[in-house]
Amino acid sequence: MRLINPRELGSPSGYSNGVLAPAGARILFVAGQIAWDRQHRLVSDDFVEQFEQALRNVASVVREAGGSPTGIARLTIYVTDKQQYLDNLDAVGKAYRRVMNRHFPAMALVEVQALLDPGARVEIEATAAIT
């Protein structure tokens, strides 16, 4: 994976402006994951715990396909309350690093009115390159 961060955009913090997958990589599209456990129950009502579990679920799908979290090229994070994300940014960052270490793919954060599961506060979808 080659991170693309043009100088004229300045240095990004916690994400990359672009990610170029290596030639010959297969592309995996990961459906939106929420903080469900294997019985499809939310692991917590806590925003940070939901964020971490949703990200762990994304990483599990990538691993099952033969990849690793470092192969994740793009994340789209949907939240029902952007302010909760901002208020917990430090804890979210720590949870992120527990799952992804210091791999920062291209990312977008989108605030939505609601998610399918009424208790879900975070949903994360991804695109990964499997080599």
Side-chain angles (χ1 to χ4, degrees):
M1 304 280 273
R2 187 171 132 217
L3 304 181
I4 309 297
N5 290 303
R7 183 171 287 204
E8 61 266 20
L9 296 180
S11 183
S13 178
Y15 68 96
S16 294
N17 288 296
V19 178
L20 183 61
R26 294 175 297 142
I27 303 299
L28 172 67
F29 300 95
V30 180
Q33 300 294 312
I34 61 172
W36 275 348
D37 61 15
R38 71 180 322 150
Q39 286 80 34
H40 291 177
R41 292 180 304 219
L42 289 173
V43 297
S44 173
D45 189 44
D46 179 76
F47 181 85
V48 175
E49 289 177 35
Q50 283 200 18
F51 175 87
E52 185 168 355
Q53 183 63 42
L55 192 55
R56 286 188 186 285
N57 292 347
V58 166
S60 291
V61 174
V62 172
R63 283 189 192 95
E64 184 68 21
S68 73
T70 58
I72 296 173
R74 181 195 58 82
L75 292 173
T76 304
I77 303 164
Y78 300 94
V79 297
T80 57
D81 185 346
K82 177 180 68 173
Q83 196 58 50
Q84 276 190 321
Y85 179 85
L86 294 172
D87 290 347
N88 291 285
L89 202 50
D90 186 55
V92 165
K94 289 176 183 173
Y96 179 90
R97 287 186 297 282
R98 282 193 292 272
V99 178
M100 301 286 288
N101 201 349
R102 295 215 173 264
H103 172 65
F104 300 109
M107 289 188 229
L109 178 79
V110 180
E111 184 178 39
V112 296
Q113 183 176 353
L115 297 167
L116 186 59
D117 185 303
R121 297 174 184 216
V122 180
E123 183 170 330
I124 304 174
E125 65 178 13
T127 304
I130 309 297
T131 55

